[in-house]
Amino acid sequence: MTEVSIELVPRSLASLDAELRTVAEQFPSVRTVNVPDLLRFPLRSWDACAHARHVVPTAIPHLRAMDFAPGRTFVLREKLASERVFWGISPVVGARTRAWWETKNHAFFPAAFEPTLAWSRDFAARALDWARGADTNLYFMPIRVDLATWLGGIL
């Protein structure tokens, strides 16, 4: 069964609480959140996850392979072989955002890609259909968009 997670950025406890309320009220089928560990914010992902578990049953601290020393990434890959894997989906709603993804994360975009909210909503819906058919999992990262506006009517 496909599981969906939404990424919540831990800017502060107050902002995390507001986003958790949005998830609980507008997306009650979402039972999992993942939280990146962003060094520019004082709240660590593992602390934010402990806090989030008061609202959702599962909260996953988000650690990326690129955050580890290059020699250790193979160890991480081996450890994840038996774990649930979540594919990350993020809206890209501007040329600067697209350039950031291409430069920072080496992302690539399909030829028909458009940096609009409408395209990102359609892609989120298609990704969810794919994940359900492939029996895999997704997490949604609402970067620079309102969560309810982006995923309303899709989840």
Side-chain angles (χ1 to χ4, degrees):
M1 183 173 134
T2 298
E3 187 173 348
V4 171
S5 175
I6 295 177
E7 182 169 289
L8 303 180
V9 176
R11 291 173 178 86
S12 67
L13 273 179
S15 71
L16 181 63
D17 282 337
E19 290 186 326
L20 285 166
R21 273 192 304 279
T22 298
V23 169
E25 293 168 4
Q26 301 214 15
F27 307 106
S29 66
V30 174
R31 317 248 321 126
T32 303
V33 297
N34 82 299
V35 182
D37 194 51
L38 302 174
L39 298 178
R40 69 181 179 266
F41 300 121
L43 186 58
R44 302 283 42 98
S45 65
W46 48 89
D47 293 327
C49 284
H51 184 75
R53 287 185 192 106
H54 296 289
V55 178
V56 293
T58 306
I60 304 166
H62 181 192
L63 304 173
R64 302 172 301 168
M66 65 187 281
D67 294 332
F68 291 88
R72 296 197 49 176
T73 56
F74 75 94
V75 173
L76 184 61
R77 247 183 277 139
E78 287 179 6
K79 289 183 183 234
L80 291 177
S82 63
E83 299 295 325
R84 292 180 300 159
V85 173
F86 286 77
W87 297 87
I89 307 295
S90 177
V92 176
V93 294
R96 287 181 52 200
T97 305
R98 178 183 181 164
W100 181 87
W101 278 100
E102 290 172 331
T103 303
K104 282 294 241 188
N105 295 311
H106 307 288
F108 56 92
F109 295 86
F113 171 76
E114 296 175 17
T116 65
L117 182 60
W119 196 95
S120 292
R121 283 181 51 80
D122 180 66
F123 182 75
R126 287 185 289 130
L128 187 57
D129 287 343
W130 167 79
R132 288 177 174 146
D135 195 27
T136 191
N137 308 295
L138 298 177
Y139 70 92
F140 290 100
M141 302 174 279
I143 299 172
R144 299 191 184 271
V145 297
D146 177 74
L147 179 60
T149 302
W150 178 37
L151 297 175
I154 295 172
L155 295 181

